[in-house]
Amino acid sequence: MPPLLQAILLGIVQGLTELLPVSSSAHLLLLPSLFGWRSLGLPFDVALHTGTTLAILAYFAADLWKIGRSFLHRPTGPEDDRLRRLGVAIVLSCLPAGIFGLLFQDAIETVFRSPVFAGINLIVFGVVLYLADHLARRDRSLDALGWRDALIIGLFQTVALVPGVSRSGITITAGRLRRFERSDAARFSFLMISPLVAGATLLEFHKLYRHLVREDQLAAFLRHDIVLFAAGMLAAFVSGLAVIRCFLRFLQRFPLDLFIVYRILFGAGVLLWWWRH
């Protein structure tokens, strides 16, 4: 397959799976092996995450701007208080995964980065999501979100560092266990991961720049790989924007069963493929 087409397809897969509760890490770990695609390298991995990060920031730009602005002046009413509480909750929810990621990210990527772990996690956390979605009460909105909710959901997010779990899946699971409506749980999931993934993306850019300079590859990257970088990033951005819009609307009417069934079937397929190879 031509590298440009591969870059676009992987960008679309990233946009779809990063923001749906189905685990992008599992898909990006396994699809190249299944189809015999060659690795496009570290710069391309950074491009994919940049695309979905920009999609989240673009879609929720108005909300994030209102939250940030609420801290710049004295509160004048209930709306300012609500926005401030939401902003504090977003910050608190980022702390557990941010600390855990800085301390253990490298170890997790080497110890747990295998098809068998991804397949098992797809199934196990799909079942957990089903139980949370169907058994939890649904009597809270984001207006009731407190610091305890934020920390609990943030602690759940640390599990998403392991392939096959899904960042959006595990945070929506936690939100449902805290009795939030599906669409509210998903909205907070996207809002809370926006600063975290933005920070992680900046770190990846820093690592990429240092790697290219250290290996004296910066000029070669700008001459040859920048097109693949841009294609993957754009594909992830466009597909990510579409996914956020459609997913939030979907959750206003339907349960998460479609994604749960997909997780279980995909996980079972991964384990079967691993067993046969």
Side-chain angles (χ1 to χ4, degrees):
M1 177 179 292
L4 181 59
L5 180 58
Q6 180 181 331
I8 295 171
L9 290 176
L10 286 174
I12 293 172
V13 169
Q14 167 73 6
L16 293 175
T17 58
E18 173 75 9
L19 303 172
L20 293 176
V22 295
S23 178
S24 64
S25 57
H27 286 77
L28 296 176
L29 175 66
L30 296 164
L31 287 181
S33 299
L34 289 173
F35 295 105
W37 295 345
R38 70 175 181 85
S39 172
L40 296 179
L42 175 64
F44 187 71
D45 293 339
V46 176
L48 296 184
H49 288 100
T50 302
T52 47
T53 299
L54 291 176
I56 296 172
L57 295 176
Y59 188 88
F60 292 102
D63 297 277
L64 294 170
W65 169 252
K66 290 177 183 178
I67 292 170
R69 190 175 59 181
S70 70
F71 286 91
L72 299 178
H73 58 76
R74 296 182 61 182
T76 58
E79 180 64 11
D80 282 338
D81 287 335
R82 184 188 71 84
L83 290 171
R84 284 194 174 192
R85 289 198 308 272
L86 183 56
V88 171
I90 290 172
V91 173
L92 289 176
S93 68
C94 292
L95 294 179
I99 295 170
F100 197 86
L102 289 174
L103 293 176
F104 302 109
Q105 180 71 51
D106 292 339
I108 289 174
E109 288 186 348
T110 54
V111 175
F112 295 102
R113 197 170 180 81
S114 72
V116 64
F117 275 114
I120 291 173
N121 287 329
L122 282 164
I123 296 171
V124 169
F125 287 97
V127 173
V128 172
L129 178 58
Y130 175 84
L131 295 174
D133 191 44
H134 285 270
L135 299 182
R137 289 187 294 169
R138 303 187 298 274
D139 57 1
R140 303 179 69 197
S141 69
L142 283 185
D143 291 340
L145 184 74
W147 66 267
R148 187 177 290 106
D149 301 308
L151 284 177
I152 290 174
I153 297 173
L155 285 170
F156 269 70
Q157 187 180 195
T158 62
V159 186
L161 295 170
V162 180
V165 174
S166 170
R167 189 187 303 271
S168 64
I170 197 65
T171 50
I172 291 173
T173 296
R176 299 291 290 118
L177 290 173
R178 298 299 295 169
R179 309 199 322 265
F180 291 105
E181 295 283 350
R182 290 188 187 97
S183 58
D184 283 344
R187 178 171 287 274
F188 182 66
S189 170
F190 290 131
L191 285 171
M192 68 178 280
I193 67 178
S194 58
L196 198 64
V197 296
T201 300
L202 289 176
L203 285 176
E204 288 182 351
F205 261 107
H206 179 64
K207 290 179 182 178
L208 171 61
Y209 177 77
R210 290 183 59 187
H211 170 76
L212 293 175
V213 171
R214 185 174 61 249
E215 301 295 328
D216 196 24
Q217 295 178 352
L218 182 59
F221 166 74
L222 294 175
R223 285 197 306 269
H224 304 296
D225 296 333
I226 192 66
V227 174
L228 297 181
F229 186 99
M233 184 174 67
L234 181 60
F237 173 76
V238 173
S239 59
L241 272 180
V243 161
I244 297 172
R245 179 182 297 274
C246 295
F247 185 52
L248 291 176
R249 291 181 178 178
F250 177 90
L251 292 182
Q252 293 175 352
R253 300 180 57 190
F254 303 105
L256 289 157
D257 294 2
L258 175 65
F259 305 101
I260 293 165
V261 170
Y262 175 81
R263 285 183 65 105
I264 293 172
L265 292 178
F266 184 53
V270 168
L271 293 177
L272 179 61
W273 175 82
W274 171 79
W275 179 71
R276 295 186 63 180
H277 290 77

